[in-house]
Structures are given as structure tokens and as C-alpha cells.
Amino acid sequence: MAYSKEVYEAVGAELQRRRADAERQASERRARMRRNPRVVELEHRMASSMRRVAQVVMEGGDRVEERMEEIRRENRAAGAEIARLIREAGEPVDSFAPVYRCAACEDTGYVSGRSCACREALLREYAAEELRGWTGMKLCSFETLDLQFYGQEFDERLGCSPRQAMEDVIRYCRWYGTSFALSHPNLLLWGATGTGKTHVSLAIAAAACERGANVVYGSVQLLLRKLEAEHFGRADGNTEQILLDCDLLILVDLGTEFATPFYTSALYTLINGRMLSGRPTVISTNLDAKAIYEHYGEQIASRLMGTYEPLLFVGRDVRQQKLQRRLHEEG
Ligand SMILES: [Zn+2]
């Protein structure tokens, strides 16, 4: 599994920082405790035990084993007393040994020359972080979504006003983000340009992130281009794995890219792979069912139509209305 050079470097630096932190905390703990003369005395006694063992061995005689056991017992007692004194001083850890975040590799990132699970987790985390930065994910909230841009006149097709319809959609999306779980359904946000799909999908991303989910957000066009560059060796990275593995993948603006056989197959791999591993995906598009069939063919269309919950975004173009209102206010 390959990541970009920057990701490896960042993970290496993070592990080094963790290790240095653990060691610094241990030496600070020891320095604080050495203000107690009893601790210094006990440490001195423990340090001299090696010399005493050597002496006993050299002197020989028939009580060697017995005398060695006595030294070991003294050592254990001194160690236990130091631990007790540290505990009594209110230190969080009752030892002078560094406490590493990962006991398996002691924050070196390697166990017997193989990459430790903690390092692998960091690599995935940093790579997802890199991708988020790369796709320009900026977070929006449901609070900043202005419902007054959706019309209040009754719409026969909807059976209510666009504003009422959108209130339902937004309530549902808010629930989706704030209670995000892997068992959540896939969503297909569809509707004309400027009806708030991007804002809502970013708000879902923000809410799910806040719940601790690993979310990757990006435009279909940008992500497919990145997959293509990596596939043909023009860039390094492991975007496909990140997109398949993240808890929630949000793909916006499906249908704006120029369909190529590579794009179609990459998209199918993502949609199908995530479906098989039970990880939810949110896709926004202004294509209707017929256009999705025409654009991507049967395989992708049937997945989207069969396993995604469609949410229709209605109302006049929010951006147009905002612009008109600003012009009106300024004029
Ligand atoms: Zn580890």
C-alpha cells in the first residue's frame, strides 16, 4: 500500500513526537520525584545492586545463591517503595519508565521490522486528511442554511410548498449527519443547480466529522482525476483505498465530468466496493434517472436507483436569489 511522500513524513514526525513526549514526561516525573531524598537513596541502592551481585559472585562460597536472592528481594522492595512514593505524590503513572501511546512498538512504528498497526492507522488517517485538504473541503453547518430562499407557494407536483418539502429534506439530512453510523443508508441528493445540495452535503460532512467519523468529501470530477493520475503513475497516493475505506464518502456534482471508460469503471468500483463493505456514500447530482442511465450505463444506474435513497432538492436557484437580493439591497 503506497501513500504520498508527505504522508509518510508526517506520520514519521508524529511517531517521533509521541516517543519524545513519553520520554520527556518520564524524565520530568523522575526529576520531580528526586526532590524527595528517600527516592534518591532508593534509586542509589538499586543502582548499586549490580555491583553487589558481581561482588557476591566473585567472592564465591556456598551462600552465593542465597545472597543473590537477598539482593533481588531488596531490589524489589526498593522498587515497590519508589512506586508507592510516586503514587502518593499524585503522579498519573507510578513508574519512571516512559509510557508510550502504543505498547506494542513503543511509538517507533515498527515491531520486529514490520509496520505496527498504530503506524498503519496513522497513515490512513493522515492520507484522508491530505485528501480533505486537497479537495478543498470547507465545513458548512445546517444553521447557516437559509430556508427563506425556498418558495412558499403551493406546488401541485410536491403536494406542498418547496419550502415545506425542503424543511423535510433538511431535517432528514441533519439527522443523517448528527447521528451518523455505518448502518445509515446511501443518499442520492438530486435537484437543479443552486438548490442547496452542496451546502447540505458539507453540513452532513461536518456533523459526521464531529461524531468522530472519518469523512472524505470531494467533487466527483476532482477525485476521478486524481484516481486517474495515480492509476497511470503520474502521481503517488492511495486515493482509491482511502475512498473505499472511509466511514462516509461524499461525492458531489456527479455528472459534471466528461464520461470516459476509466471514469465509469473507477466510479463503479467505488460505488460497488462501498456497498459490499457496508459503508455509506452520499452522492449529489443534477442528473435525473434517465440522464444517469445515459451517462454511466446500466451497472452504475441500477446501483444508484436500487440502493440509494433519493432526496429531491427543489426551489428556485438559491445562488441566483441571493445575488438578486444583494443587488436589490445595494441598488
Ligand atoms: Zn505501534
Side-chain angles (χ1 to χ4, degrees):
M1 195 184 273
Y3 296 98
S4 71
K5 192 168 115 267
E6 288 74 18
V7 166
Y8 284 117
E9 282 172 2
V11 168
E14 169 63 21
L15 285 167
Q16 213 164 39
R17 196 156 47 234
R18 288 183 178 184
R19 208 175 147 76
D21 271 356
E23 281 158 9
R24 182 180 45 73
Q25 280 167 20
S27 76
E28 284 172 3
R29 193 156 58 238
R30 180 154 178 255
R32 280 193 297 272
M33 288 310 296
R34 283 180 68 94
R35 289 186 206 134
N36 180 340
R38 177 67 181 158
V39 171
V40 178
E41 187 191 325
L42 289 166
E43 276 207 303
H44 184 74
R45 195 181 299 172
M46 285 172 79
S48 69
S49 66
M50 282 301 278
R51 204 176 55 237
R52 284 158 61 209
V53 166
Q55 214 171 359
V56 166
V57 172
M58 239 158 45
E59 285 169 11
D62 46 3
R63 288 186 57 241
V64 169
E65 198 40 52
E66 202 181 313
R67 288 171 69 193
M68 287 212 341
E69 180 49 35
E70 195 180 320
I71 294 169
R72 281 196 286 267
R73 200 167 47 238
E74 274 178 29
N75 247 359
R76 279 195 298 272
E81 190 179 343
I82 289 179
R84 182 175 57 78
L85 290 169
I86 302 178
R87 257 195 317 276
E88 281 172 6
E91 294 286 346
V93 188
D94 65 357
S95 151
F96 291 147
V99 182
Y100 297 105
R101 291 268 284 269
C102 176
C105 70
E106 300 194 331
D107 297 345
T108 58
Y110 292 92
V111 181
S112 328
R114 300 187 58 173
S115 184
C116 181
C118 75
R119 180 170 173 272
E120 290 303 311
L122 274 175
L123 285 169
R124 281 194 297 273
E125 195 182 305
Y126 275 67
E129 190 62 45
E130 184 186 52
L131 199 57
R132 273 193 284 274
W134 189 84
T135 54
M137 173 167 158
K138 53 181 187 323
L139 298 178
C140 285
S141 75
F142 286 104
E143 279 66 35
T144 53
L145 194 69
D146 198 346
L147 277 166
Q148 65 163 313
F149 292 107
Y150 299 101
Q152 278 183 293
E153 66 289 355
F154 184 82
D155 185 319
E156 241 170 69
R157 284 175 313 148
L158 300 170
C160 60
S161 71
R163 189 178 299 183
Q164 281 168 324
M166 285 309 294
E167 275 170 358
D168 283 347
V169 166
I170 289 159
R171 194 176 310 120
Y172 182 72
C173 290
R174 186 197 289 265
W175 165 83
Y176 190 97
T178 53
S179 69
F180 178 76
L182 289 180
S183 56
H184 274 18
N186 299 314
L187 301 182
L188 186 65
L189 316 182
W190 67 285
T193 306
T195 47
K197 297 189 301 294
T198 302
H199 189 125
V200 168
S201 48
L202 278 167
I204 292 176
C209 274
E210 200 153 302
R211 269 179 73 75
N214 175 7
V215 182
V216 175
Y217 175 103
S219 87
V220 174
Q221 197 173 3
L222 274 177
L223 291 175
L224 286 178
R225 240 191 268 149
K226 189 160 169 62
L227 284 173
E228 189 181 38
E230 289 172 14
H231 182 82
F232 293 105
R234 295 196 298 270
D236 40 289
N238 196 20
T239 302
E240 182 177 285
Q241 207 55 45
I242 296 163
L243 299 180
L244 285 170
D245 287 349
C246 61
D247 299 331
L248 174 61
L249 174 64
I250 301 184
L251 297 173
V252 297
D253 288 336
L254 178 78
T256 50
E257 76 289 355
F258 181 70
T260 69
F262 177 83
Y263 283 1
T264 305
S265 108
L267 201 56
Y268 179 75
T269 302
L270 288 181
I271 291 172
N272 199 48
R274 292 186 60 85
M275 207 180 79
L276 292 177
S277 64
R279 292 183 166 85
T281 308
V282 172
I283 297 181
S284 83
T285 183
N286 53 22
L287 299 180
D288 59 15
K290 185 166 166 283
I292 290 176
Y293 268 100
E294 285 169 4
H295 214 81
Y296 299 104
E298 163 77 32
Q299 269 195 321
I300 289 181
S302 66
R303 292 281 182 294
L304 293 182
M305 298 308 146
T307 63
Y308 279 62
E309 213 168 281
L311 292 177
L312 178 62
F313 280 62
V314 291
R316 281 179 54 201
D317 189 322
V318 173
R319 272 170 266 177
Q320 276 293 335
Q321 289 193 42
K322 277 188 182 170
L323 186 68
Q324 271 171 13
R325 195 176 64 169
R326 202 181 318 140
L327 289 173
H328 180 73
E329 281 166 1
E330 283 167 4

Coordinates of all heavy atoms in Angstrom, one line a residue, residues 22-23 94 103 110 128 136 154 162 166 182 201 209 235 299 318:
A22 N 6.7 10.9 25.5 CA 6.6 9.9 26.5 C 7.9 10.0 27.3 O 7.9 9.9 28.5 CB 6.5 8.5 25.9
E23 N 9.1 10.1 26.6 CA 10.4 10.1 27.3 C 10.6 11.4 28.1 O 11.1 11.3 29.2 CB 11.5 10.0 26.3 CG 11.6 8.5 25.9 CD 12.3 8.2 24.6 OE1 12.8 9.2 24.0 OE2 12.2 7.0 24.1
D94 N 2.9 5.3 38.1 CA 3.8 5.0 39.2 C 5.1 4.4 38.8 O 5.5 3.4 39.4 CB 3.1 4.2 40.3 CG 2.7 2.8 39.8 OD1 2.9 2.5 38.6 OD2 2.1 2.0 40.6
A103 N 2.0 0.3 23.2 CA 2.9 -0.5 24.0 C 3.6 -1.5 23.1 O 4.7 -1.9 23.3 CB 2.1 -1.3 25.0
Y110 N 7.3 0.4 14.5 CA 7.7 -1.0 13.9 C 7.8 -2.0 15.0 O 8.3 -1.7 16.1 CB 9.1 -0.9 13.2 CG 9.0 0.0 12.0 CD1 9.3 1.3 12.0 CD2 8.6 -0.6 10.7 CE1 9.2 2.1 10.9 CE2 8.5 0.2 9.6 CZ 8.8 1.5 9.7 OH 8.7 2.3 8.5
A128 N -6.2 10.5 4.6 CA -7.6 11.0 4.4 C -7.5 12.5 4.7 O -8.2 13.3 4.0 CB -8.5 10.3 5.4
G136 N -10.3 20.6 -0.9 CA -10.8 21.9 -0.5 C -12.1 21.8 0.3 O -13.0 22.7 0.2
F154 N -47.8 27.0 -3.1 CA -48.1 25.6 -3.2 C -47.7 25.0 -4.5 O -47.9 25.6 -5.6 CB -49.6 25.4 -3.0 CG -50.1 23.9 -3.0 CD1 -49.9 23.2 -1.8 CD2 -50.6 23.4 -4.1 CE1 -50.3 21.8 -1.8 CE2 -51.0 22.0 -4.1 CZ -50.9 21.3 -3.0
P162 N -42.3 24.3 -1.9 CA -40.9 23.9 -1.9 C -40.3 24.1 -0.6 O -39.5 23.2 -0.2 CB -40.3 24.9 -2.9 CG -41.4 25.3 -3.9 CD -42.6 25.3 -3.0
M166 N -38.4 21.2 1.4 CA -37.0 21.3 1.8 C -36.8 21.2 3.3 O -35.8 20.7 3.7 CB -36.4 22.6 1.2 CG -36.2 22.5 -0.3 SD -35.2 21.0 -0.8 CE -33.7 21.4 0.0
L182 N -22.5 3.7 10.5 CA -22.2 2.9 9.3 C -23.5 2.2 8.7 O -23.6 1.9 7.6 CB -21.1 1.8 9.5 CG -19.7 2.4 9.7 CD1 -18.7 1.2 9.9 CD2 -19.3 3.2 8.5
S201 N -24.6 18.9 1.7 CA -23.7 17.7 1.8 C -22.5 18.1 2.7 O -21.9 17.3 3.4 CB -23.3 17.2 0.4 OG -22.9 18.3 -0.4
C209 N -18.2 14.4 10.9 CA -16.9 14.5 11.4 C -16.9 14.8 12.9 O -16.1 14.2 13.7 CB -16.2 15.8 10.8 SG -15.4 15.4 9.2
A235 N 1.0 10.3 -10.5 CA 1.0 10.9 -9.1 C 1.1 9.7 -8.1 O 0.6 8.6 -8.5 CB -0.2 11.7 -8.9
Q299 N -25.0 -0.5 -15.3 CA -24.5 -1.0 -14.0 C -24.5 0.0 -12.9 O -25.0 -0.3 -11.8 CB -23.0 -1.4 -14.2 CG -22.8 -2.9 -14.6 CD -21.4 -3.3 -14.5 OE1 -20.5 -2.5 -14.8 NE2 -21.1 -4.5 -14.0
V318 N -30.9 29.0 -5.4 CA -30.6 29.7 -4.1 C -29.5 30.8 -4.4 O -29.6 31.9 -4.0 CB -30.1 28.7 -3.0 CG1 -29.6 29.5 -1.8 CG2 -31.2 27.8 -2.6

